[in-house]
């Protein structure tokens, strides 16, 4: 597989992980009495992997990424970027009018390649895009045995620990997808979740995982942090790409699996 194809495949995995976690981390925790979140917001997302092992660091650097998720009613736009040395990649999803547009691009030094695809999908498949992992993958307070509540000013903070076994396994499967190309076995040693809520809306959250990655019979300790910051007042415009005619028509499965 060429370097460009590898980067495209890698970016697809990173974006899938983020999409899988979008729905679970943008829901108000089920602690009773809260109204649903706004149907219009921007979420700035960062996923960061880190390790003290030099060999593993080289392998996971490309898995760290940043994303912007924009939601207006049923319409959404998700843009994810990742880079390693002089290689950068971007994956953009736009869902509008029951059509999903995907633009994948990779740039290596002064060379670049872009793949444009679109597919007709319904509301159920749209939900599948942002909750790909299925039942049990949603991370919230209810997925932990213990949580503490802290209040300051008009912010309520929930700090959760001791993840339930079923929730941990579901999350492990999501994370493991990004390591498939390395032939690695992923285990979650521990996980924690912190969310700040104001006016019944999530303001920020962080999911932290201590991972054990087994490669070639050797265990490596890796941390993953998934950060969300929300903006409910941002001006958002989601529209059909100007070059929509350049997108190749494919099946929904070819884009969202």
């Amino acid at each position: 597989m060429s370097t460009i194809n590898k980067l495209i495949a890698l970016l697809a995995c990173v974006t899938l992980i983020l999409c899988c976690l979008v729905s679970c981390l943008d829901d108000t925790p089920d602690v009773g009495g809260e109204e649903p979140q706004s149907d219009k917001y921007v979420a700035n997302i960062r996923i960061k992997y880190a390790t003290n092992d030099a060999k593993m660091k080289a392998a996971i650097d490309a898995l760290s990424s940043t994303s912007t998720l924009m939601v207006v009613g049923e319409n959404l736009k998700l843009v994810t970027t990742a880079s390693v040395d002089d290689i950068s990649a971007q994956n953009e999803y736009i869902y509008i009018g029951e059509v999903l547009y995907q633009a994948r691009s990779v740039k290596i030094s002064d060379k670049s390649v872009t793949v444009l695809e679109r597919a007709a999908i319904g509301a159920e498949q749209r939900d599948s895009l942002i909750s790909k992992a299925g039942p049990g993958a949603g991370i919230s307070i209810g997925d932990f045995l213990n949580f503490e509540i802290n209040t300051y000013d008009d912010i309520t903070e929930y700090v959760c620990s001791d993840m339930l076994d079923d929730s941990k396994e579901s999350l492990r499967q999501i994370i493991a997808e990004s390591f498939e190309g390395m032939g690695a076995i992923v285990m979650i040693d521990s996980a924690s979740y912190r969310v700040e809520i104001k006016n019944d809306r999530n303001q920020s959250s962080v999911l932290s995982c201590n991972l054990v990655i087994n490669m070639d019979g050797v265990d490596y300790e890796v941390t993953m942090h998934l950060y969300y910051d929300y903006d409910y007042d941002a001006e958002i415009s989601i529209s059909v790409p100007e070059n929509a005619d350049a997108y190749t028509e494919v099946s929904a499965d070819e884009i969202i699996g």
Side-chain angles (χ1 to χ4, degrees), residues 207-228:
L207 173 69
S208 300
C209 297
N210 294 316
L211 310 174
V212 178
I213 311 297
N214 184 282
M215 293 179 62
D216 300 324
V218 179
D219 287 342
Y220 300 92
E221 295 182 357
V222 174
T223 60
M224 185 206 79
H225 298 287
L226 180 62
Y227 302 91
Y228 271 66

Side-chain angles (χ1 to χ4, degrees), residues 220-242:
Y220 300 92
E221 295 182 357
V222 174
T223 60
M224 185 206 79
H225 298 287
L226 180 62
Y227 302 91
Y228 271 66
D229 290 290
Y230 297 86
D231 186 345
Y232 299 95
D233 300 317
E235 293 295 327
I236 307 173
S237 177
I238 300 176
S239 58
V240 174
E242 293 183 359

Side-chain angles (χ1 to χ4, degrees), residues 12-199:
C13 287
V14 171
T15 303
L16 177 60
I17 292 171
L18 290 169
C19 289
C20 289
L21 292 169
V22 162
S23 65
C24 62
L25 291 182
D26 69 1
D27 287 339
T28 301
D30 184 16
V31 295
E34 290 88 353
E35 294 297 322
Q37 293 247 31
S38 171
D39 63 355
K40 175 179 177 293
Y41 62 89
V42 173
N44 294 305
I45 307 162
R46 292 180 295 128
I47 183 168
K48 178 66 177 178
Y49 285 87
T51 181
N52 291 325
D53 187 277
K55 179 180 179 181
M56 177 56 70
K57 184 179 185 302
I60 66 172
D61 273 350
L63 298 180
S64 297
S65 64
T66 60
S67 297
T68 300
L69 170 69
M70 291 174 279
V71 175
V72 180
E74 290 299 311
N75 299 334
L76 68 82
K77 181 176 181 180
L78 175 65
V79 180
T80 297
T81 59
S83 62
V84 180
D85 298 328
D86 63 342
I87 303 173
S88 61
Q90 177 174 293
N91 200 346
E92 176 185 272
Y93 286 108
I94 296 176
Y95 174 78
I96 185 171
E98 297 191 343
V99 177
L100 177 64
Y101 300 87
Q102 183 187 39
R104 295 177 291 164
S105 61
V106 175
K107 183 177 181 180
I108 303 177
S109 297
D110 59 346
K111 298 179 180 179
S112 63
V113 61
T114 300
V115 177
L116 304 176
E117 296 176 330
R118 67 181 180 186
I121 67 173
E124 183 176 340
Q125 289 173 305
R126 182 265 190 193
D127 292 341
S128 176
L129 175 65
I130 59 173
S131 58
K132 184 66 179 173
I139 305 303
S140 67
I141 292 172
D143 293 298
F144 295 84
L145 288 171
N146 300 304
F147 67 88
E148 298 178 359
I149 302 176
N150 303 309
T151 58
Y152 48 94
D153 296 329
D154 52 358
I155 296 290
T156 301
E157 178 190 59
Y158 296 85
V159 181
C160 309
S161 59
D162 298 327
M163 181 176 263
L164 297 171
D165 289 342
D166 288 347
S167 301
K168 186 183 293 185
E169 173 57 21
S170 183
L171 180 60
R172 186 200 66 79
Q173 291 178 17
I174 297 173
I175 297 173
E177 293 185 20
S178 64
F179 291 89
E180 286 182 351
M182 303 178 192
I185 299 173
V186 177
M187 294 166 282
I188 298 179
D189 181 58
S190 62
S192 62
Y193 177 57
R194 179 178 59 81
V195 58
E196 293 185 345
I197 298 174
K198 177 181 179 182
N199 297 328

